[in-house]
Coordinates of all heavy atoms in Angstrom, one line a residue:
M1 N 154.6 89.5 19.9 CA 153.5 89.5 20.8 C 152.7 90.8 20.7 O 153.2 91.9 20.6 CB 153.8 89.2 22.3 CG 152.7 89.4 23.2 SD 153.1 89.4 24.9 CE 154.5 90.3 25.2
I2 N 151.3 90.6 20.5 CA 150.5 91.8 20.4 C 149.4 91.8 21.6 O 148.8 90.7 21.9 CB 149.6 91.8 19.1 CG1 150.6 92.0 18.0 CG2 148.6 92.9 19.1 CD1 149.9 91.8 16.5
K3 N 149.3 92.9 22.3 CA 148.3 93.1 23.3 C 147.6 94.3 23.0 O 148.1 95.2 22.4 CB 149.0 93.2 24.7 CG 149.7 92.0 25.2 CD 150.3 92.3 26.5 CE 150.9 91.1 27.2 NZ 149.9 90.4 27.9
T4 N 146.2 94.2 23.2 CA 145.3 95.5 22.9 C 144.9 95.8 24.4 O 144.3 95.0 25.0 CB 144.3 95.0 22.0 OG1 144.9 94.6 20.7 CG2 143.4 96.3 21.8
I5 N 144.9 97.1 24.7 CA 144.4 97.5 26.0 C 143.8 99.0 25.5 O 144.3 99.6 24.6 CB 145.4 97.7 27.1 CG1 146.5 98.8 26.7 CG2 146.1 96.4 27.4 CD1 147.3 99.4 27.8
R6 N 142.9 99.3 26.4 CA 142.3 100.8 26.3 C 143.2 101.7 27.2 O 143.6 101.2 28.3 CB 140.8 100.7 26.7 CG 140.0 100.0 25.7 CD 138.6 99.9 26.2 NE 138.5 99.2 27.5 CZ 137.8 99.7 28.7 NH1 137.1 100.9 28.4 NH2 137.8 99.1 29.7
A7 N 143.3 102.8 26.8 CA 144.0 103.9 27.6 C 143.4 105.3 27.5 O 142.6 105.5 26.6 CB 145.5 103.9 27.3
H8 N 143.6 106.2 28.4 CA 143.3 107.5 28.5 C 144.4 108.3 28.3 O 145.5 108.1 29.0 CB 142.6 107.8 29.8 CG 142.1 109.2 29.7 ND1 141.0 109.8 29.1 CD2 142.6 110.3 30.4 CE1 140.9 111.0 29.3 NE2 141.8 111.3 30.2
Y9 N 144.5 109.4 27.3 CA 145.7 110.3 27.1 C 145.5 111.5 27.8 O 144.3 112.2 27.7 CB 145.7 110.5 25.6 CG 146.9 111.4 25.3 CD1 148.2 110.9 25.5 CD2 146.7 112.5 24.6 CE1 149.4 111.8 25.2 CE2 147.9 113.4 24.3 CZ 149.1 113.0 24.6 OH 150.3 113.8 24.3
T10 N 146.3 112.0 28.6 CA 146.2 113.1 29.6 C 146.7 114.4 29.0 O 146.7 115.4 29.6 CB 146.9 112.9 30.9 OG1 148.2 112.8 30.6 CG2 146.2 111.7 31.6
G11 N 147.3 114.3 27.8 CA 148.0 115.4 27.2 C 149.5 115.1 27.0 O 150.1 115.8 26.3
S12 N 150.0 114.4 27.9 CA 151.4 113.9 27.9 C 151.6 112.6 28.3 O 152.7 112.0 28.1 CB 152.3 114.8 28.9 OG 151.9 114.6 30.2
V13 N 150.7 111.9 28.8 CA 150.8 110.4 29.3 C 149.6 109.7 28.8 O 148.6 110.0 29.0 CB 151.0 110.5 30.9 CG1 151.1 109.1 31.4 CG2 152.2 111.3 31.4
F14 N 149.9 108.4 28.6 CA 148.8 107.5 28.3 C 148.6 106.6 29.6 O 149.5 106.0 30.2 CB 149.2 106.4 27.2 CG 149.2 107.0 25.9 CD1 150.3 107.4 25.2 CD2 148.0 107.2 25.1 CE1 150.3 108.1 24.0 CE2 147.9 107.8 23.8 CZ 149.0 108.2 23.3
K15 N 147.4 106.7 30.2 CA 147.2 105.9 31.3 C 146.3 104.8 31.0 O 145.1 105.0 30.5 CB 146.4 107.0 32.4 CG 147.3 108.0 33.0 CD 146.6 108.8 34.1 CE 147.6 109.7 34.6 NZ 147.1 110.4 35.8
P16 N 146.7 103.6 31.3 CA 145.9 102.4 31.0 C 144.5 102.3 31.7 O 144.6 102.7 32.9 CB 146.8 101.3 31.4 CG 148.2 101.7 31.5 CD 147.9 103.2 31.9
I17 N 143.6 102.0 31.0 CA 142.3 101.8 31.6 C 142.1 100.2 32.0 O 141.6 99.9 33.0 CB 141.1 102.1 30.6 CG1 141.3 103.6 30.3 CG2 139.7 101.6 31.1 CD1 140.2 104.1 29.2
D18 N 142.7 99.4 31.0 CA 142.7 98.0 31.3 C 144.0 97.5 31.9 O 144.9 98.3 31.8 CB 142.5 97.3 29.9 CG 141.3 97.5 29.1 OD1 140.2 97.9 29.8 OD2 141.4 97.6 28.0
E19 N 144.0 96.4 32.4 CA 145.1 96.0 33.1 C 146.3 95.7 32.0 O 146.1 95.2 31.0 CB 144.9 94.6 33.8 CG 146.1 94.0 34.5 CD 145.9 92.6 35.2 OE1 144.6 92.4 35.5 OE2 146.7 92.0 35.5
V20 N 147.5 96.1 32.3 CA 148.6 95.8 31.4 C 149.6 94.8 32.1 O 150.1 94.9 33.2 CB 149.4 97.1 31.3 CG1 150.6 96.9 30.4 CG2 148.6 98.3 30.7
D21 N 149.6 93.7 31.4 CA 150.5 92.4 31.9 C 151.8 92.5 31.2 O 152.0 91.6 30.4 CB 149.6 91.2 31.9 CG 150.4 90.0 32.5 OD1 151.2 90.2 33.2 OD2 150.1 88.8 32.0
L22 N 152.7 93.4 31.5 CA 154.0 93.4 30.9 C 155.1 93.5 32.1 O 154.9 94.1 33.2 CB 154.2 94.5 30.0 CG 153.2 94.6 28.7 CD1 153.5 95.9 28.0 CD2 153.7 93.4 27.8
Q23 N 156.3 93.1 31.7 CA 157.4 93.3 32.7 C 157.7 94.8 32.6 O 157.5 95.6 31.7 CB 158.6 92.5 32.4 CG 159.2 92.9 31.0 CD 160.4 92.0 30.7 OE1 160.4 90.7 30.8 NE2 161.5 92.5 30.1
E24 N 158.3 95.2 33.8 CA 158.7 96.7 33.9 C 159.9 97.0 33.0 O 160.7 96.0 32.7 CB 159.0 97.2 35.3 CG 157.7 97.1 36.1 CD 158.0 97.6 37.5 OE1 158.9 98.4 37.6 OE2 157.2 97.2 38.4
D25 N 160.1 98.2 32.6 CA 161.1 98.7 31.8 C 161.4 97.9 30.6 O 162.5 97.4 30.2 CB 162.4 98.5 32.7 CG 162.5 99.4 33.9 OD1 162.1 100.5 33.9 OD2 163.1 99.0 35.0
I26 N 160.3 98.0 29.8 CA 160.4 97.1 28.5 C 160.0 98.3 27.5 O 159.1 99.1 27.7 CB 159.4 95.9 28.5 CG1 159.5 95.3 27.2 CG2 158.0 96.4 28.6 CD1 158.8 93.9 27.1
D27 N 160.6 98.2 26.3 CA 160.2 99.0 25.2 C 159.1 98.6 24.4 O 159.1 97.2 24.1 CB 161.3 99.3 24.3 CG 162.5 100.3 24.9 OD1 162.1 101.0 25.8 OD2 163.6 100.1 24.5
V28 N 158.0 99.4 24.1 CA 156.9 98.9 23.3 C 156.6 99.9 22.2 O 157.1 101.0 22.2 CB 155.6 98.8 24.2 CG1 155.8 97.7 25.3 CG2 155.1 100.0 24.7
T29 N 155.8 99.5 21.2 CA 155.5 100.2 20.1 C 153.8 100.4 20.3 O 153.1 99.4 20.5 CB 155.7 99.6 18.7 OG1 157.1 99.4 18.6 CG2 155.2 100.4 17.6
I30 N 153.4 101.7 20.3 CA 152.0 101.8 20.6 C 151.3 102.3 19.2 O 151.8 103.2 18.7 CB 151.8 102.9 21.6 CG1 152.4 102.5 22.9 CG2 150.2 103.2 21.7 CD1 152.3 103.6 24.0
S31 N 150.2 101.6 18.9 CA 149.4 101.9 17.7 C 148.1 102.7 18.3 O 147.6 102.1 19.3 CB 149.0 100.9 16.8 OG 150.2 100.3 16.3
I32 N 147.7 103.8 17.8 CA 146.6 104.5 18.4 C 145.4 104.5 17.5 O 145.6 104.8 16.3 CB 147.0 106.0 18.5 CG1 148.2 106.0 19.6 CG2 145.9 106.8 19.1 CD1 148.7 107.5 19.8
I33 N 144.2 104.0 18.1 CA 142.9 104.1 17.4 C 142.1 104.9 18.3 O 141.8 104.5 19.4 CB 142.4 102.6 17.2 CG1 143.3 101.7 16.3 CG2 141.1 102.6 16.6 CD1 143.0 100.4 16.3
V34 N 141.7 106.0 17.8 CA 140.9 107.0 18.5 C 139.4 106.4 18.5 O 139.0 106.2 17.5 CB 141.1 108.4 17.8 CG1 140.2 109.3 18.7 CG2 142.4 108.9 18.1
D35 N 138.8 106.2 19.7 CA 137.4 105.9 19.9 C 136.7 107.2 19.8 O 136.5 107.9 20.9 CB 137.2 105.3 21.2 CG 135.8 104.8 21.3 OD1 135.0 105.0 20.4 OD2 135.5 104.3 22.3
D36 N 136.2 107.6 18.6 CA 135.4 108.8 18.5 C 134.0 108.7 18.4 O 133.3 109.4 17.9 CB 136.0 109.6 17.2 CG 135.8 108.8 16.0 OD1 135.4 107.6 16.0 OD2 135.9 109.3 14.8
S37 N 133.6 107.5 18.9 CA 132.1 107.2 18.9 C 131.4 108.2 20.0 O 132.0 108.5 21.0 CB 131.8 105.8 19.2 OG 132.3 105.4 20.5
D38 N 130.1 108.6 19.7 CA 129.5 109.5 20.5 C 129.0 108.6 21.8 O 128.2 107.8 21.6 CB 128.2 110.0 19.8 CG 127.5 111.0 20.7 OD1 127.8 111.2 21.8 OD2 126.5 111.4 20.1
K39 N 129.5 108.9 23.0 CA 129.3 108.1 24.2 C 127.8 108.2 24.5 O 127.3 107.5 25.3 CB 130.2 108.5 25.2 CG 131.6 108.4 25.0 CD 132.0 106.8 25.0 CE 133.4 106.7 24.7 NZ 133.9 105.5 24.4
S40 N 127.2 109.3 24.1 CA 125.8 109.6 24.6 C 124.7 108.9 23.6 O 123.6 108.9 23.8 CB 125.5 111.1 24.6 OG 125.5 111.6 23.3
E41 N 125.2 108.2 22.6 CA 124.4 107.5 21.7 C 123.7 106.3 22.3 O 124.4 105.5 22.9 CB 125.2 107.1 20.3 CG 124.2 106.5 19.2 CD 125.0 106.2 17.9 OE1 126.1 105.5 18.1 OE2 124.6 106.8 16.9
D42 N 122.3 106.2 22.2 CA 121.7 105.0 22.8 C 121.2 104.2 21.7 O 121.3 104.5 20.4 CB 120.6 105.5 23.8 CG 119.5 106.3 23.3 OD1 119.4 106.4 22.1 OD2 118.7 106.9 24.1
L43 N 120.4 103.1 22.0 CA 119.9 102.2 21.1 C 119.0 102.9 20.1 O 118.9 102.6 18.9 CB 119.1 101.1 21.8 CG 118.3 100.1 20.8 CD1 119.3 99.5 19.9 CD2 117.5 99.3 21.6
W44 N 118.2 103.9 20.5 CA 117.2 104.6 19.7 C 117.9 105.5 18.5 O 117.4 105.5 17.5 CB 116.2 105.4 20.5 CG 115.3 104.5 21.3 CD1 115.4 104.5 22.8 CD2 114.4 103.6 20.9 NE1 114.5 103.6 23.2 CE2 113.8 102.9 22.2 CE3 113.9 103.2 19.8 CZ2 112.9 102.0 22.2 CZ3 113.0 102.1 19.8 CH2 112.4 101.6 21.0
D45 N 119.0 106.0 18.9 CA 119.8 106.8 18.1 C 120.3 105.8 17.0 O 120.4 106.3 15.8 CB 121.0 107.5 18.8 CG 120.6 108.6 19.8 OD1 119.5 109.2 19.5 OD2 121.2 108.7 20.7
I46 N 120.9 104.6 17.4 CA 121.4 103.7 16.4 C 120.3 103.3 15.4 O 120.5 103.2 14.2 CB 122.1 102.5 17.1 CG1 123.3 103.0 18.0 CG2 122.4 101.4 16.1 CD1 123.7 102.0 19.0
L47 N 119.1 102.9 16.1 CA 118.0 102.5 15.2 C 117.5 103.7 14.2 O 117.4 103.4 13.0 CB 116.8 102.1 16.0 CG 117.0 100.8 16.8 CD1 115.8 100.6 17.8 CD2 117.0 99.7 15.8
D48 N 117.5 105.0 14.7 CA 117.2 106.0 13.8 C 118.1 106.2 12.6 O 117.9 106.4 11.5 CB 117.1 107.4 14.7 CG 115.8 107.5 15.4 OD1 114.8 106.8 15.3 OD2 115.7 108.4 16.3
R49 N 119.4 106.0 12.9 CA 120.4 106.3 12.0 C 120.4 105.2 10.9 O 120.8 105.4 9.9 CB 121.9 106.2 12.7 CG 123.0 106.4 11.9 CD 124.3 106.6 12.6 NE 124.5 106.0 13.9 CZ 125.0 104.7 14.2 NH1 125.6 104.2 13.2 NH2 125.1 104.2 15.3
N50 N 119.9 104.0 11.3 CA 119.9 102.9 10.4 C 118.6 102.6 9.8 O 118.5 101.7 8.9 CB 120.4 101.6 11.0 CG 122.0 101.7 11.4 OD1 122.7 101.7 10.5 ND2 122.3 101.7 12.6
T51 N 117.6 103.3 10.1 CA 116.2 103.2 9.6 C 116.3 103.4 8.1 O 116.8 104.4 7.6 CB 115.2 104.0 10.3 OG1 115.2 103.6 11.7 CG2 113.8 103.8 9.8
G52 N 115.7 102.5 7.3 CA 115.5 102.8 5.9 C 116.6 102.5 5.0 O 116.7 102.9 3.9
I53 N 117.8 102.0 5.7 CA 119.1 101.8 4.7 C 119.1 100.5 4.2 O 120.1 100.2 3.3 CB 120.3 102.0 5.6 CG1 120.4 101.2 6.8 CG2 120.3 103.6 6.0 CD1 121.9 101.3 7.4
V54 N 118.2 99.6 4.5 CA 118.3 98.1 4.0 C 117.2 98.1 2.9 O 115.8 98.4 3.2 CB 118.0 97.1 5.0 CG1 117.8 95.7 4.4 CG2 119.1 97.2 6.1
D55 N 117.7 97.8 1.7 CA 116.6 97.5 0.6 C 116.1 96.1 0.5 O 117.0 95.3 0.8 CB 117.3 97.8 -0.8 CG 117.5 99.3 -0.9 OD1 116.7 100.2 -0.3 OD2 118.5 99.8 -1.5
G56 N 114.9 95.9 0.4 CA 114.5 94.4 0.2 C 113.2 94.5 -0.6 O 112.7 95.5 -1.1
P57 N 112.8 93.3 -0.8 CA 111.4 93.1 -1.8 C 110.3 93.6 -1.0 O 110.2 93.8 0.3 CB 111.4 91.7 -1.9 CG 112.3 91.0 -0.9 CD 113.2 92.0 -0.5
P58 N 109.3 94.0 -1.8 CA 108.2 94.6 -1.2 C 107.4 93.6 -0.1 O 106.7 94.1 0.8 CB 107.3 94.9 -2.3 CG 107.8 94.2 -3.4 CD 109.2 93.9 -3.2
D59 N 107.5 92.3 -0.4 CA 106.9 91.4 0.6 C 107.8 91.0 1.7 O 107.5 89.9 2.3 CB 106.2 90.2 -0.2 CG 107.3 89.4 -0.8 OD1 108.5 89.8 -1.1 OD2 107.0 88.3 -1.4
W60 N 108.8 91.7 2.0 CA 109.8 91.3 3.1 C 109.1 90.9 4.4 O 109.4 90.0 4.9 CB 110.8 92.5 3.1 CG 111.8 92.3 4.0 CD1 111.9 92.5 5.5 CD2 113.2 91.9 3.8 NE1 113.1 92.1 6.0 CE2 114.0 91.8 5.0 CE3 113.9 91.8 2.6 CZ2 115.4 91.6 5.0 CZ3 115.2 91.5 2.6 CH2 115.9 91.3 3.8
S61 N 108.3 91.8 4.8 CA 107.7 91.5 6.1 C 106.7 90.3 6.2 O 106.9 89.6 7.2 CB 106.9 92.8 6.7 OG 105.9 93.0 5.9
S62 N 106.0 90.1 5.2 CA 105.0 89.0 5.2 C 105.9 87.6 4.8 O 105.4 86.6 5.2 CB 103.9 89.3 4.3 OG 104.3 89.4 3.1
E63 N 107.0 87.7 4.1 CA 107.6 86.6 3.6 C 109.1 86.5 4.3 O 109.9 85.8 3.7 CB 107.8 86.6 2.1 CG 106.4 86.4 1.4 CD 105.8 85.1 1.5 OE1 106.4 84.1 2.0 OE2 104.5 85.0 1.2
H64 N 109.2 87.0 5.5 CA 110.5 87.0 6.0 C 111.0 85.5 6.2 O 112.3 85.3 6.0 CB 110.6 87.7 7.4 CG 109.7 87.1 8.4 ND1 108.5 87.3 8.6 CD2 110.1 86.3 9.4 CE1 107.8 86.7 9.6 NE2 108.8 86.1 10.1
D65 N 110.2 84.5 6.6 CA 110.7 83.2 6.6 C 111.4 82.6 5.3 O 112.3 82.0 5.3 CB 109.7 82.2 7.1 CG 109.3 82.4 8.7 OD1 110.1 82.8 9.2 OD2 108.3 81.9 9.0
H66 N 110.7 82.9 4.3 CA 111.1 82.6 3.0 C 112.5 83.2 2.7 O 113.5 82.5 2.2 CB 110.1 83.1 1.8 CG 110.6 83.0 0.5 ND1 111.0 81.6 -0.2 CD2 111.2 83.8 -0.5 CE1 111.4 81.8 -1.5 NE2 111.6 83.1 -1.5
Y67 N 112.7 84.5 2.9 CA 114.0 85.1 2.5 C 115.0 84.8 3.6 O 116.2 84.8 3.2 CB 113.6 86.6 2.5 CG 112.8 87.0 1.3 CD1 111.6 87.6 1.6 CD2 113.3 86.9 0.0 CE1 110.8 87.9 0.6 CE2 112.4 87.3 -1.1 CZ 111.3 87.8 -0.8 OH 110.5 88.1 -1.9
I68 N 114.7 84.6 4.8 CA 115.7 84.3 5.8 C 116.1 82.8 5.9 O 117.2 82.5 6.0 CB 115.4 84.7 7.2 CG1 115.2 86.2 7.2 CG2 116.3 84.4 8.2 CD1 114.6 86.8 8.5
H69 N 115.0 81.9 5.8 CA 115.2 80.5 6.0 C 115.0 79.6 4.7 O 115.3 78.3 4.8 CB 114.4 80.0 7.1 CG 114.5 80.7 8.4 ND1 115.6 80.6 9.2 CD2 113.7 81.5 9.1 CE1 115.5 81.4 10.3 NE2 114.3 81.9 10.2
G70 N 114.6 80.3 3.7 CA 114.3 79.5 2.5 C 113.1 78.7 2.4 O 113.0 77.9 1.6
T71 N 112.2 78.9 3.4 CA 110.9 78.2 3.3 C 110.1 78.6 2.1 O 110.3 79.6 1.5 CB 110.1 78.4 4.5 OG1 109.8 79.9 4.7 CG2 110.8 77.9 5.9
P72 N 109.2 77.8 1.7 CA 108.3 78.2 0.5 C 107.5 79.4 0.8 O 107.1 79.7 1.9 CB 107.4 77.0 0.2 CG 108.1 75.9 0.9 CD 108.8 76.5 2.1
K73 N 107.2 80.3 -0.2 CA 106.4 81.4 -0.1 C 105.0 81.0 0.3 O 104.5 80.0 0.0 CB 106.4 82.5 -1.3 CG 107.7 83.2 -1.5 CD 107.4 84.2 -2.5 CE 108.6 85.2 -2.5 NZ 108.3 86.3 -3.4
K74 N 104.4 81.8 1.1 CA 103.0 81.6 1.5 C 102.1 81.8 0.4 O 102.3 82.4 -0.6 CB 102.5 82.6 2.6 CG 103.3 82.3 3.8 CD 102.9 83.5 4.8 CE 103.8 83.5 6.1 NZ 103.6 84.6 7.0
E75 N 100.9 81.0 0.3 CA 100.0 81.1 -0.9 C 99.2 82.5 -0.5 O 98.7 82.7 0.5 CB 99.0 80.0 -1.0 CG 99.7 78.7 -1.3 CD 98.6 77.6 -1.4 OE1 97.3 77.9 -1.7 OE2 99.0 76.4 -1.2
I76 N 98.9 83.3 -1.7 CA 98.2 84.5 -1.5 C 96.7 84.2 -1.5 O 96.3 83.7 -2.5 CB 98.6 85.5 -2.6 CG1 100.0 85.8 -2.4 CG2 97.8 86.9 -2.3 CD1 100.8 86.7 -3.5
M77 N 95.9 84.6 -0.5 CA 94.6 84.5 -0.5 C 93.8 85.7 -1.0 O 94.2 86.8 -0.4 CB 94.0 84.2 1.0 CG 94.8 82.9 1.6 SD 94.0 81.6 0.9 CE 94.3 80.3 2.1
E78 N 93.1 85.5 -2.0 CA 92.4 86.8 -2.5 C 90.9 86.7 -2.3 O 90.3 85.8 -1.9 CB 92.6 86.8 -4.0 CG 94.2 87.0 -4.4 CD 94.4 87.3 -5.7 OE1 93.4 87.8 -6.5 OE2 95.3 86.9 -6.4

């Protein structure tokens, strides 16, 4: 059985943040994944970090329906 919970480490003890539904006096194996994400990061920080990392064709914005949904490209009016 695998259960995943969040916990806080105090320096000597792991204190569960989430409810732990286990019988008492049971041996368990704990795998630790450190949540090292910056808690102060907001949506604008995420957008700034990801701006300009997607490459696309030069007409991406005007032809997004074509690239996303496969609709025919629009006729270019000159």
Side-chain angles (χ1 to χ4, degrees):
M1 167 180 48
I2 296 176
K3 290 183 177 269
T4 301
I5 64 161
R6 294 174 304 131
H8 178 76
Y9 183 63
T10 66
S12 61
V13 175
F14 288 97
K15 292 188 174 185
I17 295 170
D18 300 328
E19 180 180 337
V20 181
D21 185 21
L22 293 173
Q23 69 185 39
E24 290 188 27
D25 297 323
I26 187 172
D27 291 333
V28 297
T29 301
I30 298 175
S31 298
I32 300 171
I33 300 171
V34 178
D35 182 5
D36 60 356
S37 63
D38 182 2
K39 299 292 184 194
S40 65
E41 187 175 54
D42 64 13
L43 175 61
W44 297 114
D45 295 326
I46 296 168
L47 289 172
D48 283 343
R49 183 170 28 99
N50 290 295
T51 298
I53 64 170
V54 176
D55 291 324
D59 61 351
W60 182 280
S61 63
S62 62
E63 294 291 347
H64 63 278
D65 284 342
H66 169 72
Y67 293 108
I68 296 171
H69 305 293
T71 60
K73 282 192 168 191
K74 299 175 187 171
E75 291 185 30
I76 298 174
M77 302 286 206
E78 294 184 32

